[in-house]
Amino acid sequence: MDRSNSSRSPHFPYGRSLAEKLGLEDAPAIVTRSLGQAEIAVTDIHVLKPSGTLSAALPRFDAYMVTLVMNDAAKNCYWECDRHVSSAPLRAGQILISDMRREPRVLVDRPYHSTLFYLPKMAIDVLTDQAEMPRIDELQYEPGVGISDETIKHLGLSLMPAFRAPEQANRLFLDYVMLAFASHTAEKYGGICTLSKPLKGGLAPWQERLSKELIANNLAGAISLSEISKMCGLSVGHFSRAFRKSTGLAPHAWLLQVRVDTAKVMLRDRDASLSAIAQSCGFVDRSHFTRVFTRRVGLSPRAWSKLVY
């Protein structure tokens, strides 16, 4: 996973290469590989000085770009295959789906903020194979027209802290969000209904024990969701749902809980500094530790320590 993609090949339509097509020098990106070798990426784009021209054409990819619109637009001049398709207005919170095989372009004539998800067809194929369904030819949507999708909206908003402070991002959380995005998109716009079928059981005892050990032994978040699920012999989606059913928490939430619980034990040692505890428990620094601990416990680490001990 690459949390701040700036140095990848210019052929990939995210991070710096995407920013340059929109007249920017760079843009923060998150890249995960939670579905086989398929890279699912998201780029946060801020255009402050619009060029007033059409964006440069992106190379053709067998992939979709799902744009989460962050501010209203009276009209969105949208093109595909060098043909004007739509000038429909967009509202903040809506999404716009584009097939990258059709070389989508937009008129950059206003300041705007958008978050662009890159979803390769390969990732959708993995999901359909896991769901034991026929592969789909294309997603169903109307080009250039905004769609109200609360799920993608909230998933996109949940990534904003990771763009602002990538060093504090929880890798399991990023994997989980990107998997949820891909699964939701494939289900809602590709008709893969069985992705959301009820899960009858959770993890087997050995799978639960192994996954918890792997997470607890990697408090810094160095292990990915795909690595854990592979060791448990499950697909990423099945593992994520089964882990939650067995523990009551998503993997990334369980990691945070283990970090906080480990910190509580270390706080018994009154001589231990908050910086040392933060480092031992996988937090970036003392302020990151204090912020997470306070949010989950309701008290700062030192206040909690004085109250309990």
Side-chain angles (χ1 to χ4, degrees), residues 182-199:
S183 300
H184 170 79
T185 303
E187 179 177 357
K188 184 168 183 178
Y189 304 103
I192 309 176
C193 300
T194 57
L195 285 177
S196 59
K197 63 184 179 182
L199 188 69

Side-chain angles (χ1 to χ4, degrees), residues 30-65:
I30 295 166
V31 185
T32 66
R33 299 174 186 85
S34 54
L35 291 171
Q37 295 302 309
E39 291 189 342
I40 306 172
V42 58
T43 307
D44 198 40
I45 295 289
H46 287 261
V47 173
L48 301 178
K49 297 179 179 180
S51 64
T53 61
L54 279 176
S55 59
L58 290 168
R60 291 193 177 205
F61 279 85
D62 194 6
Y64 292 92
M65 191 74 78

Side-chain angles (χ1 to χ4, degrees), residues 66-285:
V66 180
T67 301
L68 173 60
V69 181
M70 295 297 190
N71 49 6
D72 293 339
K75 66 176 182 178
N76 178 56
C77 193
Y78 178 79
W79 294 60
E80 286 186 349
C81 298
D82 291 328
R83 183 177 65 88
H84 179 251
V85 174
S86 173
S87 292
L90 294 175
R91 299 194 310 273
Q94 287 187 319
I95 67 166
L96 190 73
I97 302 178
S98 303
D99 187 335
M100 298 195 67
R101 295 171 296 183
R102 300 173 185 170
E103 298 180 313
R105 302 171 73 182
V106 294
L107 180 63
V108 187
D109 61 346
R110 59 182 175 81
Y112 71 89
H113 175 203
S114 294
T115 300
L116 285 71
F117 289 87
Y118 167 75
L119 179 63
K121 180 67 160 47
M122 185 189 301
I124 299 175
D125 289 344
V126 171
L127 290 169
T128 54
D129 291 346
Q130 292 177 355
E132 299 181 348
M133 292 189 66
R135 291 185 174 182
I136 60 176
D137 293 327
E138 58 183 3
L139 301 181
Q140 301 301 310
Y141 63 95
E142 187 174 352
V145 177
I147 304 166
S148 294
D149 190 315
E150 289 297 308
T151 298
I152 294 180
K153 172 184 173 182
H154 289 296
L155 289 174
L157 292 175
S158 74
L159 293 172
M160 292 300 106
F163 286 124
R164 291 192 293 268
E167 73 282 355
Q168 296 182 10
N170 181 328
R171 180 174 186 174
L172 292 179
F173 171 73
L174 298 179
D175 285 348
Y176 190 85
V177 170
M178 299 295 266
L179 175 64
F181 157 74
S183 300
H184 170 79
T185 303
E187 179 177 357
K188 184 168 183 178
Y189 304 103
I192 309 176
C193 300
T194 57
L195 285 177
S196 59
K197 63 184 179 182
L199 188 69
K200 293 182 180 179
L203 296 171
W206 72 269
Q207 292 171 323
E208 182 177 351
R209 181 174 62 255
L210 174 61
S211 58
K212 286 182 174 179
E213 288 176 355
L214 290 170
I215 295 173
N217 290 333
N218 287 275
L219 291 182
I223 194 166
S224 69
L225 203 54
S226 58
E227 290 172 310
I228 300 173
S229 60
K230 184 177 181 179
M231 292 182 190
C232 291
L234 300 171
S235 70
V236 176
H238 189 171
F239 168 76
S240 297
R241 296 191 298 273
F243 187 94
R244 187 171 196 132
K245 187 173 183 64
S246 294
T247 66
L249 294 171
H252 64 272
W254 197 84
L255 169 61
L256 285 180
Q257 187 59 52
V258 174
R259 285 177 174 176
V260 170
D261 289 344
T262 303
K264 286 180 177 179
V265 174
M266 296 186 69
L267 283 168
R268 295 175 181 174
D269 181 358
R270 298 302 180 91
D271 295 328
S273 70
L274 293 185
S275 295
I277 295 174
Q279 183 176 14
S280 297
C281 296
F283 296 100
V284 176
D285 51 29

